[in-house]
Amino acid sequence: MAAADTVAEEELERDFDGILEAGQRIEPRDWMPQGYRSTLIRQIAQHAHSEIIGMQPEGNWLTRAPSLRRKAILMAKVQDEAGHGLYLYSAAETLGADRGDLTVKLIEGKQKYSSIFNYPTPSYADVGVIGWLVDGAAICNQVPLCRSSYGPYARAMIRVCKEESFHQRQGFELLMTMMRGTDAQREMVQESVNRWWWPALMMFGPPDDQSPNTEQSMAWGIKRHTNDELRQRFVDMSVPQAEVLGVTFPDPDLAWNDERGAHDFGAPDWDEFMQVVKGNGPCNAERVANRQEAHEDGAWVREAAAEFARKNLAAERADR
Amino acid sequence: MTDRDWPLYEVFVRGKRGLNHVHVGSLRAADDQMALHHARDVYTRRNEGVSIWVVQSATITSSSPTEKDPFFAPSGDKVYRHPTFYDIPDNVPHM
């Protein structure tokens, strides 16, 4: 019996590998290796949590946006982040994960989210810089994921990427407006860029030689480029944008390398990165506490809705 | 009671008149009406749809997903259902 099971499993694995080799997508009820499933659940949940926690840094400015126009834009953007979180929780549920469990794991610190959202937003220019650099880096990471081998994740990413484009453009436009303003406004933008540049580079994860899971993830088609490849792409995209804007990046080693046809740049402070990942960043505790509070404050709404649904159903049945 | 007791719904959106409803994803809701409202807020924030269907995931009956499924075998050996099965001389117009 055990031998027959092994043979059956080998055949299933061959079919799975065949689908990947043919460049086709894996769909929810296909057989898949346990590692593929658990890696994807971790990756998608982490991504969903990032969208949900990512509402907070900018949400900080919702009540203080300088005009109704900027406020409406910011509200739409923060609402999009919530929507992205929901697309992704939905994709995770197709793998057998439960959205309620994932929320609990986030609140209990058992699952992570992108370390970028553990930095504070003390300046209104941060709203623009987050759109430009943070969402820009997210787009670099996410566009290749539209070709993820896992169908529901790839489809969710296509929706997310379409909307991220608005996020990046509104951020850049906001910064251009500030750069056309006063010296004080221009200084605000540069100060904000100085704070966000390095954390944005860290969003691509540790250097390739310290990223042990990359090889397996690339073989499975759930990662399409290495961390360093994407980081390089982001630097090369951002430099000419900074020139248009009239700001500089706080990296003395940043320079065009003719030979490589790409920019050379310095290394982020990876010790700081590890500290933030471990929970010791400037805002880790606050972000998770806010999420927990929102979840607990919403408990009565969830209970009331469930009770309302139950009573309506009972009344409907009684009418029949 | 927590939101994990809310059933899972699948969401289908008609992009515009003349197109079929297409599956776009899922969500959790306490009842059908709430599912519809949530579907509107989550999946049609940018005029992506003119009509939405929601249906509890548990009520969907589906075939087994693998392409080798014998379920689809009856259509595999009926080449005569395809127009290319028939040889028609080139000089026959409009066919």
Side-chain angles (χ1 to χ4, degrees):
Chain A
M1 186 61 203
D5 278 353
T6 314
V7 171
E9 176 123 343
E10 277 170 7
E11 196 183 322
L12 288 167
E13 184 132 21
R14 260 201 310 279
D15 288 346
F16 172 85
D17 291 340
I19 293 172
L20 289 187
E21 272 163 37
Q24 293 196 329
R25 300 284 187 262
I26 304 295
E27 293 296 343
R29 295 186 312 143
D30 283 332
W31 181 90
M32 58 189 87
Q34 198 46 46
Y36 179 86
R37 185 184 298 275
S38 57
T39 303
L40 265 173
I41 290 177
R42 196 181 59 231
Q43 184 180 343
I44 297 172
Q46 187 167 325
H47 193 164
H49 297 331
S50 300
E51 301 283 357
I52 296 298
I53 295 288
M55 295 162 73
Q56 293 185 38
E58 289 171 287
N60 183 35
W61 285 93
L62 273 175
T63 54
R64 288 172 288 154
S67 67
L68 255 183
R69 176 175 180 269
R70 294 291 172 193
K71 186 171 183 158
I73 292 170
L74 191 53
M75 291 225 310
K77 180 173 190 264
V78 171
Q79 193 187 19
D80 272 355
E81 309 295 0
H84 296 177
L86 295 177
Y87 303 157
L88 290 158
Y89 285 130
S90 158
E93 287 207 278
T94 66
L95 289 159
D98 178 286
R99 189 180 63 167
D101 283 341
L102 297 179
T103 298
V104 170
K105 281 181 178 145
L106 168 65
I107 289 170
E108 290 179 350
K110 287 177 183 154
Q111 283 179 339
K112 297 195 185 307
Y113 53 89
S114 177
S115 58
I116 191 79
F117 300 116
N118 290 315
Y119 290 88
T121 46
S123 152
Y124 177 68
D126 292 342
V127 172
V129 172
I130 286 176
W132 173 37
L133 293 179
V134 175
D135 291 324
I139 291 171
C140 270
N141 264 330
Q142 290 168 357
V143 166
L145 294 177
C146 295
R147 292 181 293 117
S148 166
S149 65
Y150 187 58
Y153 190 34
R155 294 192 286 273
M157 291 317 304
I158 290 171
R159 302 182 70 85
V160 169
C161 284
K162 274 187 195 160
E163 298 179 356
E164 288 289 353
S165 171
F166 142 61
H167 296 181
Q168 197 189 20
R169 291 171 69 104
Q170 67 81 31
F172 198 80
E173 189 234 39
L174 189 163
L175 295 177
M176 285 202 307
T177 308
M178 288 185 78
M179 292 302 283
R180 284 195 298 266
T182 63
D183 282 346
Q185 286 176 307
R186 279 185 284 275
E187 272 164 34
M188 277 174 76
V189 174
Q190 183 63 58
E191 186 273 336
S192 176
V193 169
N194 291 348
R195 273 185 292 112
W196 289 99
W197 176 246
W198 292 112
L201 289 191
M202 293 175 196
M203 285 174 70
F204 299 94
D208 292 349
D209 55 10
Q210 291 162 45
S211 177
N213 300 324
T214 293
E215 199 179 337
Q216 177 62 73
S217 290
M218 292 196 42
W220 276 334
I222 55 182
K223 191 166 177 172
R224 295 294 189 183
H225 303 281
T226 71
N227 298 351
D228 286 334
E229 283 167 12
L230 291 169
R231 193 167 9 249
Q232 179 73 58
R233 186 178 295 180
F234 174 67
V235 171
D236 292 336
M237 278 170 42
S238 300
V239 169
Q241 294 170 349
E243 281 167 17
V244 172
L245 205 54
V247 297
T248 56
F249 292 131
D251 179 359
D253 297 328
L254 183 62
W256 177 253
N257 182 328
D258 238 348
E259 220 166 280
R260 289 201 307 126
H263 291 87
D264 291 335
F265 56 97
D269 180 351
W270 292 115
D271 291 336
E272 176 187 316
F273 174 75
M274 285 317 297
Q275 282 302 315
V276 180
V277 168
K278 280 183 195 150
N280 303 321
C283 301
N284 294 59
E286 180 189 330
R287 300 293 188 231
V288 173
N290 281 345
R291 181 67 191 89
Q292 177 162 16
E293 200 184 318
H295 188 64
E296 285 166 5
D297 285 353
W300 73 269
V301 180
R302 294 191 292 277
E303 278 167 30
E307 186 58 18
F308 180 74
R310 194 189 64 75
K311 281 190 176 159
N312 273 349
L313 199 63
E316 243 173 64
R317 283 188 181 142
D319 281 348
R320 269 179 216 158
Chain B
M1 183 178 270
T2 70
D3 57 341
R4 73 187 68 182
D5 300 313
W6 288 4
L8 191 66
Y9 282 82
E10 301 298 325
V11 181
F12 300 79
V13 171
R14 185 199 294 286
K16 57 180 181 184
R17 289 174 181 277
L19 296 181
N20 289 319
H21 284 77
V22 173
H23 182 244
V24 292
S26 68
L27 49 77
R28 297 256 172 190
D31 59 28
D32 297 355
Q33 276 305 314
M34 186 197 256
L36 212 47
H37 284 132
H38 283 185
R40 177 197 62 192
D41 293 343
V42 176
Y43 292 104
T44 62
R45 284 196 304 284
R46 289 179 175 77
N47 306 319
E48 290 95 334
V50 295
S51 164
I52 300 175
W53 290 345
V54 290
V55 56
Q56 280 197 23
S57 312
T59 64
I60 292 179
T61 306
S62 60
S63 67
S64 133
T66 79
E67 288 181 34
K68 289 181 174 171
D69 195 337
F71 186 74
F72 294 104
S75 84
D77 59 357
K78 294 182 179 60
V79 285
Y80 47 84
R81 283 181 171 170
H82 298 276
T84 47
F85 179 72
Y86 303 94
D87 284 328
I88 306 287
D90 289 344
N91 59 0
V92 179
H94 308 304
M95 192 174 281

